[in-house]
Structure formats: structure tokens, C-alpha cells
Amino acid sequence: MTTSLDEFNAFRTRMNESILGAGNLTINRFFALDHRAYEPGALGTRTKEMLGLVASLVLRCDDCITYHLIRCAEEGVTNEEYQEIFSVGLVVGGSIVIPHLRRAMARLEEVRSRP
Amino acid sequence: MTTSLDEFNAFRTRMNESILGAGNLTINRFFALDHRAYEPGALGTRTKEMLGLVASLVLRCDDCITYHLIRCAEEGVTNEEYQEIFSVGLVVGGSIVIPHLRRAMARLEEVRSRP
Amino acid sequence: MTTSLDEFNAFRTRMNESILGAGNLTINRFFALDHRAYEPGALGTRTKEMLGLVASLVLRCDDCITYHLIRCAEEGVTNEEYQEIFSVGLVVGGSIVIPHLRRAMARLEEVRSRP
Amino acid sequence: MTTSLDEFNAFRTRMNESILGAGNLTINRFFALDHRAYEPGALGTRTKEMLGLVASLVLRCDDCITYHLIRCAEEGVTNEEYQEIFSVGLVVGGSIVIPHLRRAMARLEEVRSRP
Amino acid sequence: MTTSLDEFNAFRTRMNESILGAGNLTINRFFALDHRAYEPGALGTRTKEMLGLVASLVLRCDDCITYHLIRCAEEGVTNEEYQEIFSVGLVVGGSIVIPHLRRAMARLEEVRSRP
Amino acid sequence: MTTSLDEFNAFRTRMNESILGAGNLTINRFFALDHRAYEPGALGTRTKEMLGLVASLVLRCDDCITYHLIRCAEEGVTNEEYQEIFSVGLVVGGSIVIPHLRRAMARLEEVRSRP
């Protein structure tokens, strides 16, 4: 992993501000909707974040995986639960998911090692 | 939808038998693993089937969606919960998910209407 | 093509109503946003519909292609322009786009033959 | 399978003529290049068609799979070899490949049953 | 962004030379066709580059996005037009496009800051 | 390329150990199956690794490409054969494959330059 979690977060924050600041209403509403999709409803945020994680894994989006790993950790997802989410993503998405799984494991170690 | 749920299931059963009967050990073990991935562990089967459904939705695999819709119904997923799984899949995967969402809704109506 | 344009439109209308009627606010807002994205701004609707068509083509979404083919026709896109949009989509997306291009051409003939 | 091999071939031939007849030089050259890619060189056509089949499988393009299944049969690919190509495609691409594998097996039975 | 625009261009130029120098006629003709697809015809190069940009965005190819961002800038695409291309790509491709949109915005700032 | 082949291999080995050490039986069996898929059968390992390479190329997975490039080199794949595998992948997958082809060529040079 060439980018630390702090660098990831800093770049993410800076560019989100740049995107939202550009003033395109469709984009800004999409960002609001993206936030809304994970708010608790019939399903809790914890389950929704797990859905977001497995979707990110099978679509092979490293930054999306990192984001949902962090959010899942905040929601109290356990190590065993992470492995089972990973196992579903791996079986659904196949061996091309493996490089993303390696980076997900490295990120998870990084997330777990933070105070 | 040009294929009914019964036709879907009949074709699925017949071709699975054909595939497994061809005797390729890697393929047969993959099918066993695909079954195993949804068995209860740290996460229950209900949650795992929801993970399978959202993964199928963002990967835009109609037959996979149909299969997990049926399994989710068997696990007691409610209409509101389906909508929230769909909403996560739609926001993650974008408007190209919509045609699959239409077919998912038609399938769900079909599943719900069965005795 | 096993489904006519009329059948496509009827299924699309019926299932959109079913989806929107399910009352999930995230999904309903996404549909509104999907409509909004093609409204005229710095780029005209004609250009935006061409963007939607090429995006649908490289993502290999037949129903999305059909929808944007119809909309492009309404915006006065010429046969030569369609071919150039197709050529960009084909070169970007490769030979796996060809089956979708065949169906797009059949749909275009159908669109052009309507009174 | 709602479309027979004969219907598949008839639609394919008719629409290829329509596409090539539209006179877009980029598209026409792409079709020539697509043909050229499978001609014998350092690798024989048999191996190249196997490459085309596995690529079509992991990209989940049913019509591409059908085409390369037919071509592989013409090149003398055996049932055991087909299964091994399928097994690589399945492991690389994951369980979302399975519905395409079912249709591939049905097509293969159809190809094998032709005089 | 760990790679500057100059590094991107240098690597791109060096490896294109390496690829074309390897002497595979199919590959070399594909590169020529890729160039040809954006030449003016019924649609101008400006529109075609916008098509290339949105296609690259929904296919989530950072290097392709960078290339078309540069070409669009050369064709005089305005900041507002970029945002509208981004908005179509985001709605079509969903939230998994967002990390690529962040990098696209950073690249656009880099392109705009060059003398 | 910001990561050398040695760094790639070191990260790959370390994270595979981390993944397998986490003790999820589905994941561990998938890794075993992924190994099994390339063992000689009706097709030799050399052909299967070529299948793995072209599948990785069209799915645009750089790490998978690197892995199969190394394995193909061990199986004695020649430069001309690599180019023909690349040409099939490029025509099937389109111009979005090109950035991955550039990195594949750089990796191949690195593989070839090792003692």
C-alpha cells in the first residue's frame, strides 16, 4: 500500500470539497443521496455498511473498500464478520477480487492498529 | 420477463446437473464452495443472502438476482428491507442498475404471489 | 430481438411505477436525479443523450442503449452521428460490445420505422 | 435458451451486414481486426479461440461465448478441454459466471448435436 | 495522486513506443484505429473527446480519464461542461465512480495550472 | 510503475499469509481451488496460464496480469506469443485495456531482465 490511511482521508476530504465546490447540482445531490443510502431504516446502518463493503469488493474499488472498512469498524463489525463478508465477495467475484482482498486486509490491519 | 420462475428453476436445475455431471473437479468444488459461502457463521444466512443479493445487483447478473431474491424471501426478508438493499445497489452501481431493478421487482412480485 | 419496442416501453413504464410506488425515498430521489442529469445546462440535452448512449454501450446495458437511442432520435441525432457514437463505444469497449451493437442497430431500425 | 443456434446465426449475419453496410470506416476496420486477431501466428487459431472463449466467459458475454464455442468446436476442442477452459473462467470470474456457464453448456450440447 | 502529469505522459510515451515496437500488426492497427475514432466526421473531435471521457469515467479507467481530460482541455471544454460530463458519468456509473471523479478533479486542476 | 516486482511479490506473500491465517475456511478453500485451476489436465499448465493472462487482461486486473506474466515466463511463453495474447485481450476488451497493456509491457521487461 503506497498511501496511508491518513493520506487517503486527506485526499478524499480535499477532493470532495473541490467536487462539491464546483457547484454542479446533480453531482451535489448524488453525494447527498450516497450519504442517505446508509442511514438506518428497515435495515440498520451496520448491515447497510456491510452491503456497501461487499458491493465495493465485487466491483473492485479499492477506495470504496477502504471507506466501508472504516465505517464497518465504527459500526463494530468483528474480524470474523469481515472474513465472512470477504468470503461472499470472493466467491461471487472470483480470483480477480484477490488483489483487492490483499489490500483490504492491509487496510483492516491499519484500521485496527489506530488508537 | 420472458421466462417464468418455474422455467428459470427448471433450466437452472437441468444445467447444474449437466455441469456437475461433466466431472470437472475444479468446477464441482467451486459449486460446493458457492453453497458453503452462505451457510451461517459469524453472520447468519439471512445477512449473507442480502450480501449475495446486493453483489448480484451491482454486478448486474439477472439470474443471480433471481436466485438471491428467492433465498432472501425464504429467510424472511421484508418488502422494506428489499427496497433498502435495492437502494444501496442502485446508488453504488448507478442508473445502469435500473433495468435489472425493474426485472428484480417483477421477480419479487412473482415470488410473493406464489403459494 | 425477442421484445418489441412497444413491449419494452410497456414493461419499463409498469415496473418504474412499481419501483416508485414502493416508496423508498433514496430510490425515488435517484430516479429524479437520473432525469435531471440529461436536462440542458452548459451542454445541451442532445449532447448529454449522446453521452448517455456511449456510456450505456461500453457498459453493455441493452435496455439503457434502447432508451438513449430513442431519446437521441427525439433530439434529431442523424444516422451518421449514431455510427460515430457507436464507433467510439466499440473502440473503447472492444469486441464484447459487438453483440450489443447488433441489438442497437436492430433497435435503431425499429425506431426509424415508427411513424 | 429462448434463441436457437440457427436463430442466433441468422440474427448475427443480418445485423453484421447492417452494421458493415452503414459505412462507418472505423467500425468496419474494427470488424476486420476482430477477425485478424484469431488468425494463426506464433499461437495457432485453436489456442486463440480458447483465449477468446475464456475472455468472453469472464466478461459474461453470452453471444461472444456462443460464437467462440462454435469456433472452438470447429478447431477440434474436446469436451474435457472445454470443461478446463470453463473452470479457469469460473475461478477467475466467480459465481456470477455460473448463469453464463449454464447457457454455455446448453449451447455446447446444441453444437455437439448438430450433424 | 502519486504520479504527476509529466510522469504520466513520459510513461505513456515510452510504453506506447515499446508496444508498437514489438511489431504485432493487430495491436499496431488497433492503436491506429483508436486514434481514428476521435477524428472529426459527422461529430466534431470536441464532442468525440467528451464521449471518450464519459466512457472512460463509467469504465473507471484513470489513465483513460487523464488522457481525455487533456484532450478535452485542448478542444476548449469549459469547467461547467466538464462538471456536466462528470454528472452524467456519476449518475450512470454510481458511487463507485466517485474515487475516479476525485482523481479526475485533481488531474483537471493540474491540467488547468499548466502554462 | 511505482512498485517493483520484488515489492509486488513481498506484499503478495505477506498478505496471502495474513488472509489464509485469518482462518476462514471458504476463503482458504478458494485459494486452494485457484491453485488447482492451473494444474495440468486435458490442457497443459502453459495453455492454462495463457488463459489466466488473457482473462486478467480483459478484466483489467494489474496484479493478476503481473502474476500470470511471471507464470507464463516460467512456462516458456515467447515474446511473440505474449504479443498475440495481448492482441486478443486488446481486441476483446478495447482501448480501456491499453493502460494495463502498458503496465504489462513494463512488467514483462522487468521479468525478462531478471537473472
Side-chain angles (χ1 to χ4, degrees):
Chain A
M1 311 292 286
T2 49
T3 312
S4 75
L5 211 47
D6 285 342
E7 288 169 316
F8 167 82
N9 280 323
F11 182 75
R12 183 175 178 277
T13 301
R14 181 168 79 79
M15 297 319 300
N16 279 6
E17 281 168 12
S18 173
I19 292 167
L20 296 175
N24 182 289
L25 199 55
T26 302
I27 293 177
N28 290 12
R29 284 190 185 164
F30 188 95
F31 271 67
L33 208 52
D34 184 29
H35 182 79
R36 195 180 200 293
Y38 300 93
E39 287 184 350
L43 297 171
T45 292
R46 194 173 187 273
T47 301
K48 288 182 163 186
E49 286 294 339
M50 289 196 249
L51 296 176
L53 179 54
V54 82
S56 302
L57 202 60
V58 298
L59 289 173
R60 303 161 51 205
C61 174
D62 286 330
D63 284 6
C64 313
I65 293 170
T66 293
Y67 175 76
H68 289 292
L69 276 176
I70 297 169
R71 288 290 298 113
C72 281
E74 290 169 352
E75 297 291 327
V77 170
T78 69
N79 285 338
E80 274 207 321
E81 288 172 331
Y82 275 118
Q83 295 306 316
E84 298 198 3
I85 298 166
F86 292 165
S87 74
V88 171
L90 179 59
V91 168
V92 171
S95 68
I96 47 154
V97 167
I98 292 177
H100 304 273
L101 192 53
R102 282 187 204 116
R103 289 188 283 270
M105 282 295 283
R107 279 285 183 232
L108 188 55
E109 292 172 4
E110 207 180 349
V111 170
R112 292 300 198 208
S113 71
R114 288 156 69 99
Chain B
M1 310 292 284
T2 50
T3 312
S4 75
L5 211 47
D6 285 341
E7 288 169 318
F8 167 81
N9 279 323
F11 182 74
R12 185 175 177 276
T13 301
R14 180 167 80 77
M15 296 320 301
N16 278 6
E17 281 167 13
S18 173
I19 291 168
L20 296 174
N24 182 288
L25 199 53
T26 302
I27 293 177
N28 290 12
R29 285 190 183 164
F30 188 95
F31 271 68
L33 208 52
D34 184 29
H35 182 79
R36 195 182 200 292
Y38 299 93
E39 288 185 349
L43 296 171
T45 292
R46 193 172 187 275
T47 301
K48 287 182 163 187
E49 286 295 340
M50 289 196 248
L51 296 176
L53 179 54
V54 81
S56 302
L57 202 61
V58 298
L59 288 173
R60 303 160 50 204
C61 174
D62 286 330
D63 285 6
C64 312
I65 292 169
T66 293
Y67 175 76
H68 289 293
L69 275 177
I70 296 169
R71 288 288 300 112
C72 280
E74 291 169 351
E75 298 291 327
V77 170
T78 68
N79 284 338
E80 273 208 321
E81 288 171 332
Y82 275 117
Q83 295 306 318
E84 298 197 2
I85 298 166
F86 293 166
S87 75
V88 171
L90 179 59
V91 168
V92 171
S95 68
I96 46 156
V97 167
I98 291 177
H100 305 273
L101 191 53
R102 280 187 206 114
R103 289 188 283 270
M105 282 296 283
R107 279 287 184 231
L108 187 55
E109 292 172 4
E110 207 180 348
V111 170
R112 291 300 197 208
S113 71
R114 288 156 69 98
Chain C
M1 311 293 285
T2 49
T3 312
S4 75
L5 210 47
D6 285 342
E7 289 169 317
F8 167 81
N9 279 324
F11 181 75
R12 184 176 177 275
T13 300
R14 181 168 79 79
M15 296 320 300
N16 278 8
E17 280 168 13
S18 172
I19 292 168
L20 296 175
N24 182 288
L25 199 54
T26 302
I27 293 177
N28 291 11
R29 285 190 183 164
F30 188 95
F31 272 67
L33 208 52
D34 184 30
H35 182 79
R36 195 180 202 293
Y38 300 93
E39 288 184 348
L43 297 171
T45 291
R46 194 172 186 273
T47 301
K48 287 182 163 186
E49 285 295 340
M50 288 195 247
L51 296 177
L53 179 54
V54 82
S56 302
L57 201 61
V58 298
L59 289 173
R60 303 161 50 204
C61 174
D62 286 330
D63 285 6
C64 313
I65 293 170
T66 293
Y67 175 76
H68 289 292
L69 276 176
I70 297 169
R71 288 289 299 112
C72 281
E74 290 169 351
E75 297 292 326
V77 170
T78 69
N79 284 338
E80 274 207 322
E81 288 171 332
Y82 275 117
Q83 295 306 318
E84 299 198 3
I85 298 166
F86 292 165
S87 74
V88 171
L90 179 59
V91 168
V92 171
S95 68
I96 46 157
V97 168
I98 291 177
H100 305 274
L101 191 53
R102 281 187 205 115
R103 289 188 284 270
M105 282 295 282
R107 278 286 183 232
L108 188 55
E109 293 172 3
E110 207 180 349
V111 170
R112 291 301 197 207
S113 71
R114 288 155 70 97
Chain D
M1 311 292 284
T2 49
T3 313
S4 75
L5 211 47
D6 285 341
E7 288 169 317
F8 167 81
N9 279 323
F11 181 75
R12 185 176 177 276
T13 301
R14 181 167 80 77
M15 296 320 301
N16 278 7
E17 281 168 13
S18 172
I19 292 168
L20 296 174
N24 182 287
L25 199 54
T26 302
I27 292 177
N28 290 12
R29 285 190 184 164
F30 188 95
F31 271 68
L33 208 52
D34 185 29
H35 182 79
R36 195 181 201 292
Y38 299 94
E39 287 184 349
L43 297 171
T45 292
R46 194 173 187 274
T47 301
K48 287 181 164 188
E49 286 294 340
M50 288 196 249
L51 296 176
L53 179 54
V54 82
S56 302
L57 202 60
V58 298
L59 288 173
R60 304 162 49 204
C61 175
D62 286 330
D63 284 6
C64 313
I65 292 170
T66 293
Y67 175 77
H68 289 292
L69 276 176
I70 297 169
R71 289 289 299 113
C72 281
E74 291 169 351
E75 296 292 327
V77 170
T78 69
N79 284 338
E80 273 207 321
E81 288 172 331
Y82 275 117
Q83 295 307 317
E84 298 198 3
I85 299 166
F86 292 165
S87 74
V88 171
L90 179 59
V91 168
V92 170
S95 68
I96 46 156
V97 167
I98 291 178
H100 305 273
L101 191 53
R102 281 187 205 116
R103 289 187 284 270
M105 282 295 283
R107 279 286 184 231
L108 187 55
E109 292 172 4
E110 207 180 348
V111 170
R112 291 301 197 208
S113 71
R114 286 156 70 98
Chain E
M1 311 292 285
T2 49
T3 312
S4 75
L5 211 48
D6 286 341
E7 289 170 317
F8 167 81
N9 279 323
F11 182 75
R12 184 175 177 278
T13 301
R14 181 167 80 76
M15 296 321 300
N16 278 7
E17 281 168 11
S18 173
I19 291 168
L20 296 175
N24 182 288
L25 199 54
T26 303
I27 293 177
N28 291 11
R29 284 188 184 166
F30 188 95
F31 271 67
L33 209 53
D34 184 29
H35 182 79
R36 195 181 201 293
Y38 300 93
E39 288 184 350
L43 296 172
T45 292
R46 193 172 187 275
T47 301
K48 287 181 164 186
E49 286 295 339
M50 288 196 249
L51 296 177
L53 179 55
V54 83
S56 302
L57 202 61
V58 297
L59 289 173
R60 303 161 49 204
C61 174
D62 286 330
D63 285 7
C64 314
I65 293 169
T66 293
Y67 174 76
H68 289 292
L69 276 177
I70 297 169
R71 289 288 300 111
C72 281
E74 291 169 352
E75 297 291 328
V77 170
T78 69
N79 285 338
E80 273 206 322
E81 287 172 331
Y82 275 118
Q83 295 306 317
E84 298 197 3
I85 299 166
F86 293 166
S87 75
V88 171
L90 179 59
V91 168
V92 171
S95 69
I96 47 156
V97 167
I98 291 177
H100 304 273
L101 191 54
R102 281 187 206 115
R103 289 188 283 270
M105 282 295 284
R107 279 286 184 233
L108 187 56
E109 291 172 5
E110 208 180 347
V111 170
R112 291 299 197 210
S113 71
R114 288 157 69 100
Chain F
M1 311 292 284
T2 49
T3 313
S4 75
L5 211 47
D6 285 342
E7 288 169 317
F8 167 81
N9 280 323
F11 181 75
R12 183 175 178 276
T13 301
R14 180 166 80 78
M15 296 321 299
N16 279 6
E17 280 168 13
S18 172
I19 292 168
L20 296 174
N24 181 289
L25 200 52
T26 302
I27 293 177
N28 290 12
R29 285 190 184 165
F30 188 95
F31 271 68
L33 208 54
D34 184 29
H35 182 80
R36 195 180 201 293
Y38 300 93
E39 287 184 350
L43 296 171
T45 292
R46 193 173 187 274
T47 301
K48 287 182 163 187
E49 286 294 340
M50 288 196 249
L51 296 176
L53 180 54
V54 82
S56 302
L57 202 59
V58 298
L59 288 172
R60 304 161 50 203
C61 175
D62 286 329
D63 284 7
C64 313
I65 293 170
T66 293
Y67 175 76
H68 289 293
L69 275 176
I70 297 170
R71 288 289 299 112
C72 281
E74 290 169 352
E75 297 292 327
V77 170
T78 69
N79 285 338
E80 273 206 322
E81 288 171 331
Y82 275 118
Q83 295 307 317
E84 299 197 2
I85 299 165
F86 292 165
S87 73
V88 171
L90 179 59
V91 168
V92 171
S95 68
I96 47 156
V97 167
I98 292 177
H100 304 273
L101 191 53
R102 281 187 205 115
R103 289 188 283 270
M105 282 295 283
R107 278 287 183 231
L108 188 55
E109 292 172 4
E110 208 179 348
V111 170
R112 291 299 198 210
S113 71
R114 287 156 70 98

